[in-house]
Amino acid sequence: MTDTIDDLERQFQQIVEADQRIEPRDWMPDGYRKTLIRQIAQHAHSEIIGMQPEGNWLTRAPSLRRKAILMAKVQDEAGHGLYLYSATETLGVDRAELTENLIEGRQKYSSIFNYPTLSFADVGVIGWLVDGAAICNQVPLCRSSYGPYGRAMIRVCKEESFHQRQGFELLMTMMSGTQAQREMVQESVNRWWWPSLMMFGPPDDRSPNSAQSMAWRIKRHTNDELRQRFVDMSVPQAEILGVTFPDPDLRWNAERGSYDFGEPDWDEFMQVVKGNGATSVERLKNRRSAHENGAWVRAAATAFAARAATAFAARAATAEGAGHE
Ligand code: BYC
């Protein structure tokens, strides 16, 4: 007897609720597949577009050591994009199609990568706050119900946590330097604090996808829960560094055992998500031209793979012929 859709749906939900993994060949509801493709592709695009803000400082890093560290970090982000595109492909989509969706503006990438990097302190602040927010959001995704996504996230998180430490170490060095360097760090923190809070997505009462994604255990916590966790984690780190956050409402709430904080500018967030951020046009333009400039590499790799496959088939046929003699 074959299973009905209701049976399949019930079995699927049982696997999810038992905290087991859904794998690519398992039956899954269409909505689950679509949500995963949306979220993982958006995440992959963010990693790739996210190479640009820091990449902007590669040629101007103040020492060979800082340049080598920054180059390694930017390369790690490319790797994260690749693991995530591979995870998305297990859901039946093609990476070339996903790239088209990004450069044609049909799929989003994280709001945080639509802001300019104006000083070298931004490299440290991105490592500390942006990678810090990324870790907060992504560690729970290691337990996401979809196997290939959860497994990709484990490696991504290990590397992100290293990135966060390099950002903090860079800022510690600058904060023990000159007055001008300390001011540069504070100015950078002032620009990145609110956009970092926006990375967690809209408030829970305006997050259309959260409830279903939590029921499917793709997401493990709501946007507001993770935002709060990030604020609580960052305030003591700011004290150690000797910087402040640009929020007059930020204060310890003993009753809640957490920090109260102000409301991010959600109108700005909506504008950025719609593609009207300060560097949105430039970032997509750079991505499009990198894709076009790389067309010959893709064509050469495809031609090489086809030739290698033909040669392999010919060798196999010869070996088989020899075996019959
Ligand atoms: N930016 O219902 P909601 C990194 C969209 S890479 C833009 O709450 P969901 C790094 C959302 O897509 C960082 N759009 O959605 C890389 C939805 O629109 P659609 C990337 C956003 O999915 C290099 C609508 O708003 N991290 O850290 O349940 C160097 C309503 O939102 C944003 C990830 O992608 C945003 N910030 O929750 C350094 C993590 N927020 O698609 C660092 C994986 C929301 O319905 N993703 N939107 O048209 C997630 O965890 C979730 O997708 C989110 C949003 C928490 C981001």
Side-chain angles (χ1 to χ4, degrees):
M1 213 174 69
T2 51
D3 290 331
T4 65
I5 288 284
D6 284 348
D7 294 333
L8 291 168
E9 187 109 39
R10 209 170 310 113
Q11 284 159 15
F12 166 86
Q13 200 58 37
Q14 273 166 5
I15 296 176
V16 167
E17 277 162 26
D19 266 340
Q20 286 167 0
R21 288 270 162 88
I22 302 296
E23 296 297 338
R25 288 185 191 161
D26 293 342
W27 183 90
M28 60 185 86
D30 275 353
Y32 179 81
R33 188 185 297 275
K34 277 198 194 119
T35 299
L36 282 168
I37 293 172
R38 176 184 65 79
Q39 176 166 327
I40 311 175
Q42 190 167 306
H43 194 166
H45 299 327
S46 305
E47 300 283 356
I48 299 295
I49 295 274
M51 295 167 74
Q52 292 184 42
E54 291 166 282
N56 179 35
W57 281 92
L58 277 174
T59 54
R60 291 173 292 157
S63 68
L64 182 60
R65 176 171 173 265
R66 291 291 171 198
K67 190 182 177 111
I69 293 171
L70 186 55
M71 191 135 34
K73 179 184 191 280
V74 171
Q75 284 175 346
D76 282 354
E77 308 301 354
H80 298 174
L82 298 187
Y83 315 148
L84 289 164
Y85 281 127
S86 299
T88 326
E89 284 191 312
T90 65
L91 291 154
V93 285
D94 182 56
R95 184 172 143 198
E97 181 190 326
L98 298 174
T99 304
E100 281 295 316
N101 287 341
L102 169 67
I103 60 184
E104 295 306 328
R106 289 190 293 266
Q107 268 174 347
K108 298 186 170 84
Y109 60 91
S110 179
S111 51
I112 193 73
F113 300 120
N114 292 290
Y115 293 87
T117 38
L118 304 177
S119 75
F120 193 70
D122 288 5
V123 170
V125 172
I126 289 178
W128 173 40
L129 292 181
V130 174
D131 287 270
I135 295 167
C136 228
N137 166 263
Q138 291 169 20
V139 165
L141 293 175
C142 297
R143 292 186 296 118
S144 171
S145 57
Y146 188 57
Y149 190 30
R151 288 189 287 272
M153 291 317 302
I154 292 171
R155 177 144 176 206
V156 170
C157 284
K158 281 187 185 157
E159 292 177 357
E160 297 291 24
S161 102
F162 180 66
H163 294 169
Q164 196 216 12
R165 285 180 205 192
Q166 75 76 36
F168 196 79
E169 188 267 344
L170 165 53
L171 296 179
M172 280 299 255
T173 307
M174 289 185 81
M175 290 304 285
S176 56
T178 64
Q179 183 60 19
Q181 284 175 305
R182 281 191 286 277
E183 283 167 13
M184 198 188 277
V185 173
Q186 183 61 61
E187 188 276 334
S188 173
V189 170
N190 293 347
R191 278 183 290 110
W192 288 96
W193 175 244
W194 292 110
S196 301
L197 294 189
M198 293 175 197
M199 283 176 73
F200 295 92
D204 292 350
D205 56 6
R206 279 179 267 165
S207 164
N209 300 301
S210 279
Q212 182 61 78
S213 288
M214 303 259 297
W216 279 330
R217 300 201 183 177
I218 295 172
K219 279 168 85 161
R220 293 298 187 136
H221 303 279
T222 72
N223 299 354
D224 285 335
E225 281 166 10
L226 293 173
R227 195 171 2 256
Q228 178 73 62
R229 192 178 282 188
F230 175 66
V231 172
D232 292 345
M233 178 182 108
S234 302
V235 174
Q237 294 174 356
E239 281 163 11
I240 293 168
L241 271 178
V243 294
T244 55
F245 292 131
D247 179 357
D249 297 325
L250 185 66
R251 65 182 60 86
W252 178 248
N253 182 328
E255 216 169 285
R256 289 199 308 118
S258 268
Y259 284 90
D260 289 338
F261 58 99
E263 194 71 24
D265 180 347
W266 294 115
D267 292 335
E268 175 184 315
F269 171 77
M270 288 314 295
Q271 280 304 317
V272 170
V273 169
K274 277 190 207 144
N276 301 323
T279 60
S280 308
V281 172
E282 179 195 324
R283 298 267 154 87
L284 264 192
K285 185 169 149 269
N286 289 342
R287 181 67 196 94
R288 186 177 297 113
S289 64
H291 186 64
E292 285 165 4
N293 291 337
W296 71 271
V297 179
R298 292 190 297 279
T302 309
F304 177 78
R307 217 168 61 190
T310 311
F312 180 79
R315 270 202 310 276
T318 313
E320 200 180 326
H324 284 301
E325 275 166 18

